[in-house]
Amino acid sequence: MGRKKSFTSSPEPVSCQVDVEHQLHVRLQQLPPVESVRELVETLYPQQLHAVQDLIQRALQFGESNSALIVGSRGVGKTTLLRVALSQYCSFPDVDGASLSLSAGGSDGVLVRLHGLMHTDDRLALREITRQLKLEHATATKQFGSFAGKEHAVL
């Protein structure tokens, strides 16, 4: 029998993560304006659109912390559906950290985007949430006894 090879995992270079984030932002900017696809989404996916809008509304109105998994083949309109649903509560649904509101001019929530292939564990997700909420400096100077302590401070 041969020897088993041992592999050591090295941390992913920061430049690679920044490059992937940049590519995601570029792809979002290439999407058509929400106004131009709203009618199409309302026609093709009325039930799904209502379900997502209802989920967002309950999160903003009652503080419910729910998750939604939107699945489908590539190119069927998952991102477009979400953008149209968010546009009801947000002036800029394609901007990380955009304010979400039930009424014009208010701020009931903040839009945070996480990517399932990049933010694969709680630590990476919390770091990205901290970055998008622009809380890096506030959390950098504090010492947290546990992950839960940092999570509580950020969220």
Side-chain angles (χ1 to χ4, degrees), residues 17-152:
Q17 181 179 354
V18 171
D19 194 36
V20 171
E21 287 175 357
H22 174 72
Q23 289 175 9
L24 289 172
H25 287 290
V26 168
R27 289 186 75 194
L28 273 176
Q29 292 171 352
Q30 293 172 348
L31 295 172
V34 172
E35 297 78 28
S36 66
V37 294
R38 178 181 309 282
E39 187 177 324
L40 182 65
V41 169
E42 289 172 347
T43 303
L44 293 176
Y45 306 111
Q47 292 174 327
Q48 294 86 345
L49 180 61
H50 177 70
V52 172
Q53 287 174 331
D54 186 50
L55 184 76
I56 295 168
Q57 181 178 355
R58 286 183 294 155
L60 294 174
Q61 191 171 9
F62 303 117
E64 290 183 10
S65 180
N66 294 320
S67 298
L69 184 60
I70 302 173
V71 296
S73 301
R74 185 176 181 172
V76 297
K78 299 178 297 291
T79 301
T80 303
L81 172 74
L82 189 57
R83 290 173 63 231
V84 170
L86 284 169
S87 70
Q88 182 176 343
Y89 307 102
C90 179
S91 301
F92 305 102
D94 298 326
V95 177
D96 295 341
S99 292
L100 298 170
S101 178
L102 290 169
S103 60
S107 180
D108 300 309
V110 178
L111 177 62
V112 175
R113 295 180 187 279
L114 298 176
H115 192 284
L117 296 176
M118 287 179 48
H119 310 108
T120 55
D121 63 22
D122 291 344
R123 183 183 56 82
L124 293 173
L126 189 58
R127 183 183 302 160
E128 181 62 13
I129 291 168
T130 304
R131 185 190 69 77
Q132 289 185 30
L133 295 178
K134 297 174 180 55
L135 296 174
E136 297 102 333
H137 299 294
T139 58
T141 58
K142 294 182 181 178
Q143 292 293 335
F144 298 100
S146 66
F147 175 83
K150 184 173 183 179
E151 179 182 32
H152 180 70

